[in-house]
């Protein structure tokens, strides 16, 4: 798994699963599909990632021992439901560029190091992360990170994000994410807002529960010196949330 004989794809040194057509991986609760390293013993980063350029439907698939898990740069649609990600070295999932739609639901992300989900998709993309469980530890940096120059605007709803004791449950650094109905627990910062981000945090009957963190919601302007607040690009609307039992609100 440490070599790519064809020197193809984004990473010529590691094996990738490149999807230019349509990938169908229909597992079930009792028949889980596992995509993993063949090394004995396996290690984080043994292989590169699943590179989605076309369409894909994954259900009940375990993806482990890679660098990036799934890296999606597709202009088509793809879904992942009831999938499990673990022992991936950099990030479990990276959603790039402009998929017409990407839906990630009911998945489990066990973030041993690095990040859970990176989102840098374009503003027009329909990206949904719903009802997932994302668990970190003291080595994990982000549960969900939204960033980049494409103005990503995903819907982040109904997820449980916990355990990022030296990191961020959700970091919104660009775009206008809708962040609703999530449980964000036991992290250094529940929701971090900075850069040019303008997220909507909570709506009527769909507020977030943000509790047990060092910082509940932290909004940071990056304008220099006297440019703040006039030079600030960051802003957030936070309503209908329960923010309780954090060291700082």
């Amino acid at each position: 798994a440490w070599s790519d004989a064809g020197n193809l794809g984004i990473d010529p040194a590691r094996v990738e699963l490149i999807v230019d057509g349509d990938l169908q991986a229909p597992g079930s609760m009792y028949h889980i599909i596992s995509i993993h390293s063949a090394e004995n013993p396996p290690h984080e980063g043994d292989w590169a990632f699943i590179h989605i350029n076309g369409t894909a439907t994954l259900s009940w698939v375990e993806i482990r021992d890679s660098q990036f898990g799934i890296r999606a740069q597709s202009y088509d649609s793809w879904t992942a439901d009831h999938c499990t990600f673990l022992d991936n070295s950099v990030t479990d999932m990276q959603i790039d560029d402009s998929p017409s739609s990407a839906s990630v639901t009911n998945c489990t992300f066990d973030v041993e190091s690095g990040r859970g989900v990176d989102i840098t998709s374009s503003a027009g993309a329909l990206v949904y992360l719903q009802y997932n469980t994302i668990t970190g530890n003291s080595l994990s940096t982000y549960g969900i990170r939204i960033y980049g120059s494409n103005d990503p605007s995903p819907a982040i709803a109904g997820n449980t994000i916990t355990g990022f004791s030296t990191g961020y449950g959700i970091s919104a650094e660009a775009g206008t994410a809708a962040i609703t109905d999530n449980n964000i627990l036991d992290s250094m910062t529940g929701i971090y807002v900075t850069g040019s981000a303008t997220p909507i945090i909570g709506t009527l009957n769909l507020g977030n529960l943000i509790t047990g963190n060092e910082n509940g919601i932290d909004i940071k302007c990056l304008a220099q010196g006297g440019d703040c607040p006039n030079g600030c690009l960051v802003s957030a609307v936070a309503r209908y949330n329960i923010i309780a039992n954090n060291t700082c609100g």
Side-chain angles (χ1 to χ4, degrees):
W2 281 99
S3 63
D4 181 353
N7 293 321
L8 302 174
I10 291 177
D11 188 339
R14 286 182 171 85
V15 170
E16 301 164 50
L17 174 56
I18 301 173
V19 181
D20 287 326
D22 180 37
L23 173 64
Q24 296 289 321
S28 71
M29 180 185 299
Y30 303 105
H31 297 90
I32 294 173
I33 298 169
S34 182
I35 302 174
H36 58 87
S37 170
E39 296 290 330
N40 186 20
H43 300 90
E44 293 184 2
D46 275 353
W47 59 287
F49 43 77
I50 301 173
H51 190 191
I52 301 176
N53 287 321
T55 59
T57 303
L58 296 87
S59 58
W60 298 97
V61 177
E62 178 187 74
I63 300 170
R64 61 182 302 159
D65 312 323
S66 73
Q67 288 184 303
F68 288 89
I70 289 176
R71 186 169 183 180
Q73 296 178 297
S74 172
Y75 283 80
D76 296 311
S77 301
W78 62 276
T79 65
D81 182 64
H82 283 99
C83 295
T84 300
F85 299 81
L86 70 161
D87 294 335
N88 300 303
S89 62
V90 179
T91 186
D92 288 321
M93 179 179 293
Q94 184 165 324
I95 303 173
D96 293 332
D97 295 340
S98 304
S100 59
S101 68
S103 176
V104 181
T105 56
N106 303 303
C107 292
T108 299
F109 297 85
D110 188 356
V111 188
E112 292 293 329
S113 61
R115 309 182 296 275
V117 181
D118 285 353
I119 302 173
T120 64
S121 57
S122 298
L126 302 177
V127 176
Y128 302 96
L129 265 70
Q130 297 176 304
Y131 315 120
N132 304 288
T133 299
I134 305 174
T135 304
N137 58 34
S138 62
L139 300 177
S140 312
T141 52
Y142 300 91
I144 299 172
R145 187 183 181 201
I146 306 156
Y147 65 102
S149 61
N150 290 330
D151 195 28
S153 301
I156 312 294
N159 303 285
T160 297
I161 304 169
T162 184
F164 291 84
S165 58
T166 59
Y168 308 92
I170 297 175
S171 179
E173 303 168 28
T176 306
I179 302 171
T180 59
D181 199 29
N182 300 284
N183 294 333
I184 306 172
L185 316 163
D186 303 328
S187 297
M188 182 182 74
T189 300
I191 299 177
Y192 181 56
V193 184
T194 191
S196 60
T198 57
I200 310 274
I201 303 173
T203 59
L204 182 62
N205 299 321
L206 291 173
N208 300 282
L209 173 62
I210 305 169
T211 185
N213 305 286
E214 183 175 336
N215 305 290
I217 299 176
D218 184 6
I219 301 174
K220 183 176 181 180
C221 173
L222 296 182
Q224 299 295 314
D227 291 336
C228 186
N230 296 328
C232 280
L233 300 175
V234 63
S235 67
V237 176
R239 295 182 291 183
Y240 306 107
N241 302 289
I242 298 175
I243 304 171
N245 299 318
N246 303 290
T247 305
C248 298

